[in-house]
């Protein structure tokens, strides 16, 4: 990605993964749960579209579409945003909702 305007760096999740954007205030490192609905058998790359049968919710779901159920492996967040959630501080212009706070309190957080 030689023309990328962002700085890319290695993430913190294990295994071979794409790099993450260093300037991002938050990154979710995920893996596709290909075991659901047998979606591991799907192969990408057919630009003309895929013939049926289609999967209901995970993998190739229509002629030109797909849905992917992801597992969140790591949540990377800049320290000032992490602290604003942890200590219930307001950090503008970012609006943080209660559901996000709940996610952070019960997840694997890397600050």
């Amino acid at each position: 990605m030689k023309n990328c305007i962002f700085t890319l760096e290695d993430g913190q999740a294990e295994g071979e993964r794409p790099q993450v954007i260093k300037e991002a205030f938050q990154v979710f490192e995920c893996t596709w749960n290909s075991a659901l609905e047998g979606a591991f058998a799907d192969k990408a790359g057919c630009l003309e579209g895929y013939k049926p049968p289609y999967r209901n919710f995970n993998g190739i779901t229509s002629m030109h579409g797909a849905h992917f159920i992801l597992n969140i492996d790591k949540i990377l967040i800049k320290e000032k945003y992490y602290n604003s959630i942890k200590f219930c501080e307001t950090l503008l212009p970012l609006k943080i909702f209660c559901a996000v706070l709940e996610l952070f309190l019960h997840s694997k957080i890397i600050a």
Side-chain angles (χ1 to χ4, degrees):
M1 294 181 49
K2 65 180 182 175
N3 295 328
C4 183
I5 63 171
F6 299 107
T7 308
L8 300 177
E9 65 182 4
D10 292 335
Q12 296 182 10
E14 295 180 9
E16 185 177 328
R17 297 174 178 267
Q19 292 183 305
V20 300
I21 298 172
K22 183 177 183 175
E23 295 84 2
F25 72 88
Q26 178 176 289
V27 173
F28 290 86
E29 291 191 276
C30 303
T31 48
W32 176 34
N33 190 339
S34 62
L36 293 174
E37 206 176 6
F40 57 85
D42 291 347
K43 303 295 179 218
C46 185
L47 299 178
E48 295 79 35
Y50 294 90
K51 295 190 182 339
Y54 302 120
R55 305 199 186 284
N56 292 318
F57 64 89
N58 191 34
I60 305 298
T61 54
S62 68
M63 183 173 186
H64 294 287
H67 293 87
F68 301 100
I69 306 300
L70 302 176
N71 295 325
I72 298 174
D73 301 319
K74 294 274 185 180
I75 301 173
L76 310 177
I77 187 166
K78 297 288 186 195
E79 187 173 3
K80 70 178 184 176
Y81 291 100
Y82 172 79
N83 288 336
S84 72
I85 296 168
K86 184 176 179 181
F87 300 116
C88 299
E89 299 169 351
T90 302
L91 188 59
L92 298 175
L94 181 65
K95 295 180 181 179
I96 307 229
F97 299 98
C98 294
V100 174
L101 176 60
E102 188 69 20
L103 175 69
F104 279 97
L105 294 176
H106 298 290
S107 298
K108 301 177 257 182
I109 302 297
I110 303 298

